[in-house]
Amino acid sequence: MIKIENLSRFFRTGEIETSALHHVNFSIEDGEFVAIMGPSGCGKTTLLNILGLLDSPSQGTYLFDGEEVGQLKESQRTEKRKGKIGFVFQSFNLVDALSVYQNVEIPLIYLNIRPAERKQRVDEILERLKMSHRRDHLPRQLSGGQQQRIAIARAVVAKPRLILADEPTGNLDSRNGAEVMQLLTELNQEGTTVVMVTHSPNNAEYAHRVINLFDGQIITETQTEANGNVFFT
């Protein structure tokens, strides 16, 4: 699915150039669950943004399903990620003025899905996450764990092949964090590829493979014994 070759990302402020990623190489297969770890400032989020077509590399190549996408224009990147890539953020990024139902519906509107099918898909994912009873609530009326469930519902309602999660349990207590990780595991077991940035060694244990970054470079890649039979309850 993903192949990164000799990828670098530089940021320039005036005459100062900062290297966020430096000659990074790796690949991710369809159906993998990969965790990206490393200290703050090592380039994890920059890498995730490039994988999600929110940013472009300064050098190197990014192949998605065999197609070079790293140097696409912003409008082309937007079209390419529609319906293919779902995002889960640490801060939830829900729209405060919209209900739970409307927040989850947003990706389907962008994809021009017909209203009847949108309703069916939103109803199905809210039922699966046991959040149907909150469909008319606003985000501020939900707990942190409930908000993250809705954020995941929004990420997967369009049935993307790839989910990118940036510290998905960072604002949650241990119980709600475990539930989020269980849900990501279940989605992965159903065939969705998951790439997750995390500081948590416990969260990394859910992944099949851990990529460790330091100063913008990969220093190790480790296979893990992923929790193979974890289900959301």
Side-chain angles (χ1 to χ4, degrees):
M1 173 182 275
I2 290 171
K3 188 172 184 180
I4 298 293
E5 293 184 326
N6 205 33
L7 185 145
S8 297
R9 182 67 171 102
F10 311 117
F11 295 96
R12 181 178 291 277
T13 304
E15 297 182 356
I16 300 175
E17 185 175 85
T18 303
S19 176
L21 296 169
H22 186 65
H23 298 303
V24 171
N25 294 274
F26 67 91
S27 61
I28 296 174
E29 301 296 329
D30 249 332
E32 270 199 285
F33 190 154
V34 176
I36 300 173
M37 298 191 72
S40 297
C42 73
K44 301 187 302 297
T45 297
T46 298
L47 179 56
L48 204 70
N49 287 340
I50 290 174
L51 294 180
L53 301 177
L54 299 174
D55 193 11
S56 296
S58 304
Q59 296 177 356
T61 60
Y62 171 18
L63 300 179
F64 188 87
D65 283 340
E67 178 185 355
E68 168 57 50
V69 296
Q71 300 305 321
L72 295 177
K73 297 178 180 179
E74 184 175 353
S75 60
Q76 293 172 315
R77 296 200 309 267
T78 299
E79 285 300 314
K80 185 64 63 176
R81 65 176 177 260
K82 276 185 179 179
K84 296 181 180 179
I85 303 175
F87 297 89
V88 180
F89 302 98
Q90 177 179 350
S91 56
F92 316 138
N93 285 6
L94 300 176
V95 181
D96 292 338
L98 298 182
S99 68
V100 162
Y101 182 96
Q102 291 168 326
N103 268 280
V104 176
E105 186 184 28
I106 289 173
L108 303 180
I109 294 174
Y110 288 149
L111 290 170
N112 296 316
I113 303 295
R114 291 180 301 176
E117 184 177 350
R118 293 204 306 263
K119 182 179 185 304
Q120 179 181 350
R121 289 200 192 186
V122 175
D123 286 345
E124 286 176 353
I125 194 63
L126 291 179
E127 178 67 26
R128 176 176 179 178
L129 270 63
K130 298 180 174 58
M131 291 296 293
S132 295
H133 64 297
R134 297 289 193 180
R135 58 182 288 128
D136 296 322
H137 286 66
L138 297 173
R140 64 175 179 271
Q141 297 174 304
L142 306 178
S143 68
Q146 290 171 332
Q147 289 187 58
Q148 192 62 296
R149 287 197 199 188
I150 299 308
I152 292 174
R154 181 185 57 191
V156 304
V157 71
K159 302 179 181 178
R161 295 176 53 215
L162 172 65
I163 292 177
L164 301 177
D166 192 356
E167 298 285 2
T169 68
N171 286 330
L172 304 178
D173 59 30
S174 58
R175 178 182 176 277
N176 283 306
E179 288 187 347
V180 166
M181 291 309 304
Q182 290 168 1
L183 177 56
L184 290 175
T185 298
E186 182 179 330
L187 293 168
N188 174 248
Q189 290 171 342
E190 293 171 1
T192 304
T193 305
V194 178
V195 181
M196 172 184 65
V197 162
T198 182
H199 280 101
S200 168
N202 289 335
N203 287 354
E205 290 179 1
Y206 288 82
H208 304 146
R209 182 159 52 106
V210 178
I211 296 174
N212 283 284
L213 285 178
F214 186 77
D215 286 348
Q217 295 179 292
I218 294 176
I219 54 173
T220 61
E221 288 192 46
T222 308
Q223 298 291 328
T224 67
E225 296 182 6
N227 299 332
N229 294 300
V230 182
F231 294 92
F232 185 76
T233 59

